[in-house]
Amino acid sequence: MLIKRRRGWELPEAAATSESRYLQRRELVRSMGLGAAALALPGTAFAQGKAADPSASLYPAKRNDKYGVPTPMTAEKQATTYNNFYEFGTDKSILRDAQKLEVRPWTIKVGGMVEKPFEIGIDDLLAKVQLEERVYRHRCVETWSMIVPWSGFPVRSLVEVCKPLSSAKFIVMKTLSNPSVMHEQRDLLYPWPYTEGLAMDEAMNDLAFIATGLYGKPIHKQNGAPLRLVAPWKYGFKNVKSIVSVEFTDKKPVSFWEKLQSSEYGFWANVNPQVPHPRWSQATEKPLGSSERIPTLLYNGYAEFVAGLYADRKAEKLFM
């Protein structure tokens, strides 16, 4: 079995920060003109690490509600202490180990089918894009879910910075490789580095997002700092974290989990409650912090924005 799952959510409801309290704090920070890092919520300072993030003053970003504002918002403490990040461990309790990740300096290498390969530092990249906040649903293939406020910029903006050739059909993103810190990368049974990708029309869809922040502050290390993919209509394993490489190609890449078990994890990985995982149903999900299961939505509730992408791809395995 390739995924070790721990059932149940150990955090008591009393430990969670309510959505209303988070939103009040967000408006307070904005009105005071302060970076969110200066007013970290209790219990989250450790999760952010000790070093000051030079991008902290960019947050909170202005909210974009075009794609909906699903509720109820998942409490920050739950979304930042129950995490999949296999480079640091195969269970959900990787917060402490993830703090060893150094996110400055951080360089992204751009190559493949582009006008000119180059490298760019994370802060230089942030200076080229317009940050905004979007509240998205997140649906894990393991059937847990959350609703969180990501900050960042459209993947479209990243593509524009990279200047791919018109013949490029896919964008491929890879996670940092650093086995001395990300100790699970020493396990040679896994095809490191973590690799994921999107078709170019998916990448250029308005819903596709690069997250650099979470809950009105720079994104937490355990959630994929300093930048990660967020494709909310797909299962969470598509959302590659701690990106250091962006490549463009005319060949469909083979992603991390697809290499491990292609019969269970495909390239497209779109959410569909009617298509079960080979080992469990995908019809319902359990939100973090809830004791109840709820119905899962087709494309995770974003069909109006993305269903058209697949009209000519019905012969492919779109929902594995």
Side-chain angles (χ1 to χ4, degrees), residues 116-133:
K116 184 178 181 180
F118 65 95
E119 296 183 358
I120 187 169
I122 179 62
D123 295 301
D124 292 329
L125 175 61
L126 291 176
K128 292 179 177 290
V129 297
Q130 180 65 50
L131 297 184
E132 61 182 60
E133 181 178 86

Side-chain angles (χ1 to χ4, degrees), residues 87-88 97-98 100-102 178-184 186:
E87 285 81 351
F88 293 104
D97 283 344
K100 300 173 185 176
L101 179 65
E102 296 290 340
N178 187 352
S180 64
V181 173
M182 306 165 105
H183 55 82
E184 287 296 322
R186 302 169 192 167

